[in-house]
Amino acid sequence: MGNCDAMIRWKGQCIMDLFGKPKQKKQITSFQVVVLKTSGMRGMAEDELRMNGKKAELSHYRIGYAGEDTQRMLEKRAVCEEETVLKLLNDCDLLSWDGFDGPHPKYVQDGIMFTLNATVNENQKISAKGSANFPKHYREFTDGLHAILNANN
């Protein structure tokens, strides 16, 4: 019985013996940069997470136009512990977002469009995009970014 004493049994056999150990979900253990760009009827914004020494830095930019050129105007910046950002990235399962391409729903007249590009775990790239169609935990991710930005203000 050993490890199965506390496990669920099925027909007298340990579930672990039938199906093997549950697979560990791959985790983000480091990040270099995460950039989320959003646009909609109210304008465009960009959130940029970067490592700055031993701390994580989150910058929120409003994107505006100057003639035909676009300008990034810093609206807010916050510094936090790397562990805070890693927890957010893993809780929102950002690794599973790679390759997400959410097409605009047929009868939706407007909405938010997003692109996400990230470099994590040294050189692993994550790319996702969507138009009024988002990956799982998108809302929790953006709420987490706003919470970091507003934690010290």
Side-chain angles (χ1 to χ4, degrees):
M1 289 207 188
N3 290 337
C4 206
D5 288 341
M7 293 289 174
I8 297 173
R9 294 183 164 277
W10 184 66
K11 293 188 178 181
Q13 196 169 5
C14 179
I15 294 292
M16 292 288 278
D17 294 340
L18 292 172
F19 302 108
K21 292 182 181 179
K23 289 188 178 180
Q24 293 269 337
K25 193 176 352 177
K26 198 167 183 194
Q27 296 283 300
I28 295 174
T29 56
S30 66
F31 74 96
Q32 290 69 51
V33 64
V34 178
V35 177
L36 175 67
K37 295 180 181 181
T38 56
S39 62
M41 292 185 67
R42 294 188 179 169
M44 295 184 297
E46 184 175 309
D47 291 301
E48 180 181 89
L49 275 164
R50 285 194 178 276
M51 283 304 298
N52 188 358
K54 297 277 186 192
K55 298 282 186 173
E57 185 175 86
L58 173 58
S59 302
H60 177 77
Y61 298 94
R62 183 68 46 204
I63 309 300
Y65 289 97
E68 292 186 22
D69 297 327
T70 58
Q71 291 183 329
R72 285 180 9 156
M73 296 164 279
L74 180 65
E75 286 194 336
K76 236 178 202 182
R77 180 169 283 150
V79 175
C80 67
E81 298 297 323
E82 178 184 26
E83 292 78 27
T84 302
V85 174
L86 290 174
K87 180 166 178 16
L88 175 64
L89 299 178
N90 286 311
D91 286 353
C92 294
D93 198 16
L94 205 75
L95 286 174
S96 73
W97 293 22
D98 191 36
F100 181 89
D101 187 358
H104 197 81
K106 187 174 183 177
Y107 296 106
V108 174
Q109 298 297 319
D110 58 12
I112 302 291
M113 294 174 282
F114 84 95
T115 59
L116 178 123
N117 290 293
T119 304
V120 301
N121 297 343
E122 301 309 321
N123 285 316
Q124 184 176 356
K125 306 287 186 202
I126 300 171
S127 294
K129 63 181 179 178
S131 178
N133 197 341
F134 306 97
K136 190 173 183 182
H137 303 300
Y138 177 85
R139 179 53 140 205
E140 292 90 340
F141 179 66
T142 59
D143 288 350
L145 294 176
H146 293 147
I148 291 169
L149 282 169
N150 294 316
N152 298 326
N153 298 326

